[in-house]
Each structure stands twice: as C-alpha cells, then as structure tokens.
Amino acid sequence: MKKIPFSPDELKEVGRYYVAGRTDGGKIKLDTPITPRENMQAFLNNETPCWMPNGDLITITPEIVPDNVARAFIQEADPSDRKGGPDMFGVNWIFDEAANGSMVVPGRPILEDANDWKEVIKFPDVDSWDWEGSAKKNARYVSGNDPVWTVQFSGLFERLISFMDFEYAAVALIDESQKEAVKDLFEAVTDTYIKILDHSIEAYHVDGYLLHDDWGSQRAPFFSKATWLEMIAPYVKKMVDYCHSKGIIFELHSCGRTESMIDVISSIGIDMWRPQPMNDLKKMYEEYGDRIKLGVRAPMFPPGTPDDVQIQAAKDLVSQFNIPGKYVFTSNFMESDIFRKALYEASRKAYLEH
C-alpha cells in the first residue's frame, strides 16, 4: 500500500460506530485517508495497513434472528431493547442486569442423550424470517465504506451446552456411544448457520463473519486437541471454507486459556482471532502472527484516568506488536475517544516506517 503521510486532521470526528450498551453514540469514527474497508483488506493481505484495525466496522445482529434477542445483543438501525427469551431452537435464556448478559436457564437441559437429538431438537425455519423487511430497515445502516460484520452466537460447543448443560455436553464429546450423534447434530447446526449467513450476505452485504464458541477455561482448554480436531474442527472448517468461497472474512471469538491450541486453530484457515489476556499473547504473536491475525485487547481504564496515561498505553500497545508482516488488530467496545485517537496516531506513525 502506498504510504500516506500522517496529518493531525485525520483525528477529526466524522461519526460514530454504534455499540450496544454505550450511551454516547458509540466509538468515534475518524477522518482516515483511506476507507476502513480498504485498511482491513490490506491488513488481511499481509500488506502494511494504514493504521491498526480497531473495531472500525459496522456490526449487524438483527432482531429477526432470535439468538440476538436471547443473547441481548441486537445491533442494527433503531434497535429495540428486547433481552432474553427463547433462541432459534426454543431454548430459554435469562438476561442478568448485573452481568449485562444472558444465560440459559440452568438445570433444565432439553437434551440428555445426544442420540435423541432428532426427536428433541426443533430446527428453525430460517427462510421464514423477515429478511426482506430487515434489509430495508438496515439499508442505510450498513451502507458506506465501513466493513460490515455479522455475528453467530453459540457456536458448536456452546450450542451443545445450551441443549445439554455443560457437564453433559463435555461428556458427549468423548462418549463413544454419543460421538456420532454429536457429529450429525453439529453438521445440521453448521448447515443452519450457513443458511443464516447466506441471507445475511444478501440482506446486509456483509464482509465478515464472527463465530462465538468458547473452548477453554481460565487455566486450560476444555478438551484435548485430538477431541477438538475430531469433533469440532471439521464443522468450523466447513464454515471457514464457505465464508472464503463467498469472499467473507472469518473471525473467531473463543474465550479461555487456549494458547496451546493455536497451531490447530490456525491450521483450518481462520482469518482472525482475539485470545483473552490470560494467554501468552506476545509469544503467540511472535510464533504465529504470520499465520493468523491475532487480536490484542485494548486496556480498560477506570473513569477519570488521566489522558496521558491512556495515550502512553496506546503507544506501548503499538510498540509491543510492531513486527513488519505480523499485524494485529484490537478493540474495546467501551474505550475512550482519547485512547482510540492515540492508538490510531501511534500505529499510523509506526507503520509509515515499515
């Protein structure tokens, strides 16, 4: 990419990216010399981006998809405040105000044995959702020069947990009497997700697809690499390959200490992944930063944090992850304008030297 000298005028606010839960209009949008979509493309192509990608995108998680209501994450034009209730499979979620998130009603699994899934699980009629109406409602929201991302909550393992509760879902992955049934279930769920993605491509012209599926605890992965490769990877790869066939970027959201799995995670073509901070991010970046685009979490600052502290933190983040050809992205839904501008300026200047 052609190097464009930095100008302080780029720090002017030209709009806001809507973020659910924020009361200030969202994340500040700056007067960048190229479009955020062009910058993201350079980033993914291993070219030197103009600045470090930092959530410079539009997220569309429409109300017509029941999971977005159940999980309390509706992001679209004029979003409603509906939270909790049944997801697309009829599983009931409760919204917790204190946690600002939803969880499945505990202790009431709808599926006790994976072999019974065809008799128990009712799949949604995705085609019957009002995609045309939603497309019209959101036409202006997703237009412009910003990448458009859609999100699929409850990936394969999370979906199994929602059906069975955690302990029974974990057992089903390794129980020889249930494994084949789990694979068949995952295949059917994957096909449903791809159908939703197809409608999202047509309705919102999405550029990126973010799959949520947590694979680890605070200390270690929930399962072995062998189990992941056999039971989960084939279906995630099917989604990855389908995204790539449509020119869509595949991003993974997966919580937990899973640094030991980065070799297999990166092997199936996932484009982007932002591991949680309990992982050795610097080591992962140095060893695998040229195979998968890693996300670094921007710091959280308590109210009243001095501007100079935030500005220095932004400079430190850029300097720690500044190997040419190994570019990272970052984002913090609640970050301040001060930090966002400082990160933009620091990365702009650093990348000009590459």
Side-chain angles (χ1 to χ4, degrees):
M1 175 176 289
K2 181 181 178 181
K3 299 294 176 67
I4 304 171
F6 170 73
S7 168
D9 290 342
E10 296 170 30
L11 300 177
K12 293 177 182 176
E13 178 179 342
V14 296
R16 293 271 168 172
Y17 292 104
Y18 171 75
V19 177
R22 285 187 67 147
T23 58
D24 60 356
K27 297 175 62 162
I28 190 172
K29 185 184 296 188
L30 303 176
D31 192 11
T32 57
I34 64 172
T35 68
R37 182 176 280 116
E38 289 171 328
N39 192 63
M40 177 64 76
Q41 199 59 57
F43 168 72
L44 289 165
N45 288 342
N46 265 341
E47 301 171 16
T48 304
C50 198
W51 69 90
M52 183 183 292
N54 183 26
D56 317 298
L57 51 85
I58 302 295
T59 300
I60 177 78
T61 48
E63 187 173 354
I64 61 166
V65 179
D67 280 30
N68 299 332
V69 181
R71 299 295 296 270
F73 204 81
I74 301 171
Q75 292 200 129
E76 63 177 343
D78 302 317
S80 78
D81 60 357
R82 294 176 61 202
K83 300 179 176 72
D87 64 20
M88 70 174 79
F89 292 94
V91 175
N92 198 35
W93 294 69
I94 298 176
F95 177 74
D96 187 297
E97 291 285 352
N100 194 33
S102 299
M103 66 178 290
V104 173
V105 176
R108 303 178 189 174
I110 65 171
L111 182 65
E112 296 183 358
D113 187 317
N115 292 291
D116 300 329
W117 74 265
K118 290 183 180 179
E119 289 74 39
V120 174
I121 305 301
K122 306 301 182 185
F123 276 69
D125 181 4
V126 173
D127 295 332
S128 71
W129 299 345
D130 186 13
W131 293 102
E132 183 178 355
S134 182
K136 292 178 180 178
K137 173 184 177 180
N138 288 289
R140 293 189 64 185
Y141 177 72
V142 299
S143 64
N145 294 315
D146 300 299
V148 178
W149 245 243
T150 191
V151 183
Q152 177 59 64
F153 291 103
S154 300
L156 298 169
F157 186 52
E158 289 183 5
R159 187 66 70 184
L160 191 63
I161 293 169
S162 74
F163 294 150
M164 305 186 74
D165 283 353
F166 183 89
E167 60 271 36
Y168 298 110
V171 168
L173 288 182
I174 58 174
D175 180 359
E176 292 296 337
S177 69
Q178 297 187 72
K179 285 169 62 173
E180 291 307 312
V182 171
K183 292 176 183 178
D184 290 342
L185 174 58
F186 282 172
E187 184 77 33
V189 170
T190 297
D191 289 343
T192 299
Y193 289 174
I194 287 174
K195 183 178 290 189
I196 294 171
L197 174 59
D198 263 340
H199 279 288
S200 298
I201 293 170
E202 181 177 356
Y204 318 119
H205 311 292
V206 299
D207 301 282
Y209 179 79
L210 173 60
L211 179 72
H212 273 238
D213 205 14
D214 292 346
W215 295 331
S217 69
Q218 184 77 16
R219 295 183 177 183
F222 291 135
F223 27 66
S224 68
K225 285 184 187 180
T227 294
W228 184 85
L229 286 167
E230 178 187 2
M231 301 299 296
I232 296 175
Y235 313 102
V236 177
K237 188 176 188 304
K238 183 175 181 178
M239 286 183 266
V240 170
D241 290 347
Y242 191 79
C243 282
H244 291 169
S245 75
K246 297 292 185 177
I248 304 298
I249 300 159
F250 188 99
E251 182 180 352
L252 171 68
H253 168 96
S254 188
C255 292
R257 188 170 183 178
T258 51
E259 61 190 68
S260 63
M261 294 179 63
I262 189 171
D263 57 337
V264 290
I265 288 175
S266 63
S267 72
I268 62 172
I270 290 171
D271 298 299
M272 303 168 63
W273 172 36
R274 187 174 61 162
Q276 284 192 299
M278 77 279 290
N279 294 281
D280 189 341
L281 291 173
K282 195 66 185 301
K283 180 180 179 182
M284 297 168 74
Y285 166 71
E286 291 172 351
E287 295 183 0
Y288 288 90
D290 57 346
R291 304 185 210 179
I292 185 171
K293 298 302 182 188
L294 294 170
V296 181
R297 289 182 182 266
M300 297 282 286
F301 299 104
T305 300
D307 291 357
D308 62 332
V309 173
Q310 299 188 53
I311 292 170
Q312 188 58 52
K315 292 178 178 178
D316 290 344
L317 190 153
V318 172
S319 66
Q320 290 171 21
F321 299 93
N322 194 31
I323 300 174
K326 294 185 178 182
Y327 297 102
V328 301
F329 67 100
T330 187
S331 183
N332 177 345
F333 292 138
M334 307 308 290
E335 70 189 4
S336 70
D337 293 353
I338 293 295
F339 179 84
R340 186 165 167 77
K341 288 182 178 182
L343 185 74
Y344 174 86
E345 181 174 355
S347 61
R348 274 283 281 124
K349 292 178 177 178
Y351 294 168
L352 283 172
E353 299 176 2
H354 287 193

